[in-house]
Amino acid sequence: MAEIIESDSGAKKDGKRRSPKKMGAGVDMTPMVDLICLLITFFMLTTAFAKPKVMEITMPEKDEDTSKKSDIKVAADRTYSIILDEEDRLYWYWHKDSEVDGVAPVFSKWNKTNYGPDGIRKFLLEKNEATVKEITELKDKVTKGEIVMSNDTLNVRIKEIKRKYNTELKKSPIILIKAVEKAKYRNLVDIIDEMAICNVASYAVVDPMADELEILKNAPK
Amino acid sequence: MKKKAPHVDMTPMVDLFSLLLTFFMLTTSFRPQEAAVIDTPFSVSDKQAPDKNLITVAITKDNKVYFDMSNSGTTLDAQGKEIADTATHYRRELLKQIGEQKQINFNEKELQTFETGSSFGMPFPLLKKWLNSTEPQEKEGYMVGIPIDTADNQLGLWVRIARVLNPYAEVAIKGDGEAEYSVIKRVMDIMQENKVQKFNLVTNLQKEELEGEATIQ
């Protein structure tokens, strides 16, 4: 194709063909190929295909007016606090019943755990069993093809299931994530990630209380 | 016998390469120059970051805070529908307004440099020096981070002006895994003071399936 095929004008009049000396002026394409290779490499390396992924988090609105704050009642018996310390350690405790007026709030003892699948994830899955079970069943059915639905519908359904267990049945746990100042950002992302993995419907990132910091000092290392 | 050079027909290869080259040239969007290496933590989230209408606050390993804003955004057309707009010059406006507030005069060249640039992080007095330096080493030396203390809340001013300029802008926080939580919290607080409630935490995708699925049932 790139060879210029000359018309057979070189044939002699007497019909004798000349020895088929190819006069094709072969264009040397090597430099071009070299250049194109270089350019391709350049574009391949500089191109940013994978856009960064993001994790969404909505923070509770901060109200300067503190008098409104105490209005929110949270069911203590399904509220758990997770405390992240500065050296990748993780503690959780249960709020039990602290809603009865005049009675000092009762908290369970602190449990040390870790970020692995045997640690905090196991705990969360246990507490959130009903929700996780229903969502897993739904996802299974979708992957097996028993139910056909688009990803968007699936996400809406998952949200509905979460809401059912959270606000109607009041069964799923409420997690308060409390990180100390010196904690690593990675730990925060890890723990929020676990919330997504374990389908926890309601969680919040809040500041640790003073007594919690006090307990943390003497907590088992 | 005449020696015949073995002739390889390179045409198909060239064809292919040209195609590839065209493809890469058309699809490429250059990786923005990173002000610092930021090693974002992993998560299972696979939501994509928006590429316009974005305010990015980066927090490096040594807790420096950098700011970035995308130049293009969305405007409303005559019918009130949202349309992509690449002719907005948010970055230029941003610097202009900062200059007005802080009585720093930025000339045309500096505005131009700022508009085409990416993330930056330095207190106001260093801005001019940073914009005028051409040495990458020197430029890096000026990146000392934006002050975020309550006494000298410069990040707050950047965010406020950026939010006013582009009300559609979402906020992404791109923190290094080793950054301190207190800094992240402070940045989030500043955002909340400017009425941002939703944050996009930039992460690396890492698939993780629930392996406990069998045991739950």
Side-chain angles (χ1 to χ4, degrees), chain B residues 39-207:
Chain B
D39 200 1
T40 51
F42 291 100
S43 90
V44 294
S45 173
D46 58 355
K47 187 181 173 279
Q48 284 212 340
D51 52 0
K52 53 183 169 41
N53 289 323
L54 196 66
I55 295 172
T56 313
V57 177
I59 295 123
T60 65
K61 201 160 56 186
D62 34 10
N63 299 322
K64 283 184 207 160
V65 178
Y66 296 164
F67 185 85
D68 191 11
M69 185 188 190
S70 55
N71 203 22
S72 57
T74 313
T75 43
L76 297 180
D77 66 0
Q79 278 83 43
K81 261 170 69 185
E82 289 179 21
I83 45 163
D85 188 354
T86 46
T88 49
H89 299 286
Y90 289 135
R91 292 183 68 99
R92 170 184 290 261
E93 277 304 309
L94 180 68
L95 189 66
K96 254 192 201 164
Q97 296 198 13
I98 285 283
E100 278 163 26
Q101 293 235 357
K102 292 287 150 191
Q103 275 93 46
I104 311 171
N105 250 329
F106 293 107
N107 61 33
E108 184 53 36
K109 194 176 144 266
E110 286 160 350
L111 289 171
Q112 190 60 41
T113 319
F114 188 79
E115 184 167 0
T116 51
S118 60
S119 68
F120 56 92
M122 70 278 306
F124 300 128
L126 284 178
L127 264 174
K128 229 177 157 61
K129 282 186 191 158
W130 174 70
L131 287 170
N132 285 318
S133 78
T134 45
E135 283 287 308
Q137 288 263 315
E138 191 189 340
K139 263 180 131 71
E140 205 166 294
Y142 291 128
M143 299 282 262
V144 291
I146 300 174
I148 54 169
D149 333 315
T150 30
D152 185 22
N153 185 1
Q154 298 194 1
L155 182 68
L157 189 62
W158 284 110
V159 174
R160 189 155 66 249
I161 293 176
R163 289 272 292 166
V164 172
L165 278 174
N166 184 2
Y168 294 96
E170 285 187 41
V171 169
I173 293 184
K174 188 179 179 186
D176 192 292
E178 296 300 310
E180 236 173 62
Y181 170 65
S182 56
V183 180
I184 308 278
K185 199 174 74 179
R186 178 77 193 120
V187 169
M188 284 184 170
D189 279 349
I190 292 173
M191 292 298 172
Q192 289 196 302
E193 282 162 20
N194 290 292
K195 304 286 171 237
V196 182
Q197 308 296 347
K198 206 180 84 184
F199 300 98
N200 294 302
L201 306 181
V202 179
T203 53
N204 273 333
L205 180 65
Q206 186 184 51
K207 272 268 173 247

Side-chain angles (χ1 to χ4, degrees), chain A residues 43 47 49, chain B residues 18-29:
Chain A
F43 278 108
T47 203
F49 266 124
Chain B
S18 311
L19 266 179
L20 276 175
L21 184 62
T22 325
F23 170 72
F24 278 113
M25 277 175 73
L26 293 180
T27 55
T28 203
S29 58

